[in-house]
Amino acid sequence: MQRIATEQDFEWIAAIQGECALPLWKPNSTSWVLGREAFAIWQMVGDECELLSVAVEQAKRGKGLAKRLMEYCQKKIAGQGVKSFFLEVRENNIAAISLYRKIGYKKIAERKGYYANGENAIIMKLVL
Ligand SMILES: CC(C)(COP(=O)(O)OP(=O)(O)OC[C@H]1O[C@@H](n2cnc3c(N)ncnc32)[C@H](O)[C@@H]1OP(=O)(O)O)[C@@H](O)C(=O)NCCC(=O)NCCS
């Protein structure tokens, strides 16, 4: 069941972010969780929305949770008048890029050597 993230979720979300070596984004009013297994943290910028972080507990991956949660969030956010969604992803993160493509995101740009290890960042966009 999807719901808005609360302070009680901060600890397990931070633990998953740590395990995945993701930046430690703190959930905000535009963050949702699915059980205690998946979270998505977004940032609204005018009539656009950026995905800051999405992750699923390792043992629960490959069951459609991220897809379900992201589509749910996007529908909720679109209800607030937002039509464009953006995200940035490491070019070697095949699972994440496949997920984003599956739900309709398209690559719009690339940032060469964006990450500390020299990896490129792929910028993707979805217009609902
Ligand atoms: C990326 C991540 C969120 C995907 O979560 P998930 O719940 O396993 O994804 P889903 O089961 O919803 O998969 C949806 C689609 O994504 C693609 N996908 C997911 N995992 C994949 C993998 N390991 N390899 C290839 N494609 C994959 C598939 O197209 C899948 O659709 P299908 O099952 O119908 O083929 C998860 O792997 C994760 O938490 N990774 C670590 C954190 C991370 O890298 N986050 C993104 C950067 S912020």
Side-chain angles (χ1 to χ4, degrees):
M1 180 66 150
Q2 298 91 337
R3 59 174 174 78
I4 297 268
T6 68
E7 267 189 48
Q8 281 71 49
D9 298 303
F10 289 7
E11 206 175 309
W12 68 264
I13 287 175
I16 294 181
Q17 289 179 333
E19 273 167 30
C20 301
L22 294 174
L24 294 175
W25 290 106
K26 207 168 163 186
N28 55 31
S29 56
T30 323
S31 303
W32 280 267
V33 298
L34 183 47
R36 285 173 68 95
E37 297 157 352
F39 67 85
I41 302 174
W42 306 80
Q43 178 170 268
M44 307 274 265
V45 189
D47 60 356
E48 296 180 349
C49 188
E50 186 181 355
L51 177 70
L52 298 181
S53 192
V54 61
V56 175
E57 188 191 325
Q58 198 146 15
K60 300 290 164 62
R61 291 182 193 162
K63 297 175 189 293
L65 295 186
K67 179 172 180 286
R68 182 143 59 99
L69 181 60
M70 282 193 63
E71 289 181 331
Y72 176 89
C73 295
Q74 289 166 183
K75 213 166 149 186
K76 288 282 185 188
I77 294 166
Q80 298 173 36
V82 172
K83 295 285 173 270
S84 303
F85 295 82
F86 293 86
L87 59 82
E88 201 170 79
V89 59
R90 288 177 179 270
E91 72 172 357
N92 294 330
N93 194 341
I94 303 302
I97 292 172
S98 306
L99 161 71
Y100 303 145
R101 282 208 187 107
K102 185 123 203 177
I103 58 178
Y105 283 81
K106 303 264 186 286
K107 175 178 170 178
I108 55 162
E110 195 172 312
R111 287 184 177 156
K112 295 269 182 215
Y114 180 79
Y115 295 101
N117 67 349
E119 197 175 337
N120 297 340
I122 306 291
I123 315 293
M124 301 182 85
K125 179 180 183 184
L126 169 73
V127 180
L128 285 183

